[in-house]
């Protein structure tokens, strides 16, 4: 399979992780991450810019403070490199946002990462026909389904998580035919597979020709 045809989201993520372990691809990914996430003792590697946002100064201050709080919850100064690598390789990130129910005003208590192969967004659309026989959408139920054993196309069991409790950060790349979220490594699938085949073929050729050279 050279072309990298898409079967489902889990298969896509598994393939991205496989090619990310290939030495040449891993070296390129490390170069990209080191350019994107720069560690500095004086300031955070990332900050929010609200210069072009039309909000009052007090609201901007609250947004900046909460942004700093989220960075502290993620321990971004020490784990930013790993977080960015996970996002770049998988093409998506999921976080479960935990809030203290006894003190909701306390804000976010913990940001817990979720393996993208174990969670999926579910959208149940209920329709009914009007007197003219035309189907009309009556209600739309959206939630995230989490299963620790992994989510497949047929999985119906798992823990339901409300939409507001999950943060989803996609790559922004979408396949035009299947509407699946792609990762930045998608274009490298064919190249890595071809390189592997060329290397294997060359090794086999050298080994098979070795007895002739001895003769």
């Amino acid at each position: 399979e050279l072309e990298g045809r898409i079967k489902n989201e889990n298969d896509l993520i598994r393939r991205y992780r496989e090619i990310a372990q290939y030495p040449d691809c891993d070296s390129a990914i490390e170069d990209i991450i080191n350019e994107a996430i720069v560690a500095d003792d004086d300031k955070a590697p990332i900050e929010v810019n609200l210069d072009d946002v039309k909000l009052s100064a007090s609201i901007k201050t609250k947004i900046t403070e909460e942004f700093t709080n989220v960075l502290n919850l993620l321990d971004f100064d020490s784990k930013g490199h790993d977080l960015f690598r996970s996002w770049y390789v998988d093409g998506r990130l999921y976080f479960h946002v935990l809030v203290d129910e006894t003190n909701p005003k306390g804000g976010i208590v913990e940001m817990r990462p979720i393996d993208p192969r174990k969670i999926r967004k579910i959208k149940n659309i209920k329709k009914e026909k009007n007197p003219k026989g035309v189907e009309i959408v009556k209600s739309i139920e959206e939630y995230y389904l989490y299963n620790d054993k992994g989510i497949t196309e047929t999985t119906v069991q798992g823990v339901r998580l409300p939409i507001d409790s999950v943060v989803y950060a996609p790559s922004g790349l979408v396949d035009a035919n299947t509407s699946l979220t792609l990762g930045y490594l998608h274009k490298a699938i064919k190249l890595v597979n071809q390189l592997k085949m060329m290397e294997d073929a060359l090794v086999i050729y050298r080994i098979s020709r070795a007895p002739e050279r001895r003769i």
Side-chain angles (χ1 to χ4, degrees), residues 70-210:
V70 170
L71 287 183
N72 292 332
L73 290 172
L74 293 174
D75 194 10
F76 201 85
D77 288 340
S78 58
K79 296 181 180 178
H81 185 278
D82 297 331
L83 287 173
F84 188 84
R85 182 184 175 87
S86 297
W87 174 80
Y88 191 84
V89 173
D90 294 346
R92 68 215 76 205
L93 272 183
Y94 287 94
F95 284 97
H96 187 202
V97 180
L98 299 178
V99 179
D100 187 0
E101 295 182 359
T102 58
N103 182 26
K105 291 184 178 180
I108 300 171
V109 177
E110 186 181 353
M111 297 278 288
R112 191 172 293 172
I114 303 175
D115 191 327
R117 297 174 300 174
K118 297 179 180 180
I119 190 170
R120 179 156 299 168
K121 188 176 183 180
I122 306 296
K123 182 184 286 188
N124 292 330
I125 302 175
K126 293 183 180 180
K127 297 181 179 180
E128 64 178 13
K129 290 186 177 180
N130 62 10
K132 295 182 180 180
V134 179
E135 284 192 341
I136 299 175
V137 176
K138 185 178 181 181
S139 62
I140 299 176
E141 182 187 17
E142 289 184 320
Y143 59 89
Y144 284 97
L145 185 67
Y146 173 80
N147 191 318
D148 193 51
K149 295 180 180 179
I151 296 284
T152 62
E153 300 297 329
T154 58
T155 303
V156 293
Q157 294 182 339
V159 179
R160 284 192 177 192
L161 300 175
I163 291 289
D164 296 339
S165 69
V166 176
V167 174
Y168 173 50
S171 64
L173 303 177
V174 180
D175 184 76
N177 297 320
T178 60
S179 298
L180 276 176
T181 300
L182 304 178
Y184 286 99
L185 292 182
H186 195 76
K187 295 175 183 178
I189 292 176
K190 183 176 180 180
L191 299 174
V192 170
N193 288 340
Q194 285 178 334
L195 186 57
K196 282 182 181 178
M197 291 180 67
M198 289 175 66
E199 289 177 347
D200 293 344
L202 183 62
V203 170
I204 293 169
Y205 175 75
R206 293 272 173 87
I207 292 172
S208 64
R209 289 294 300 272

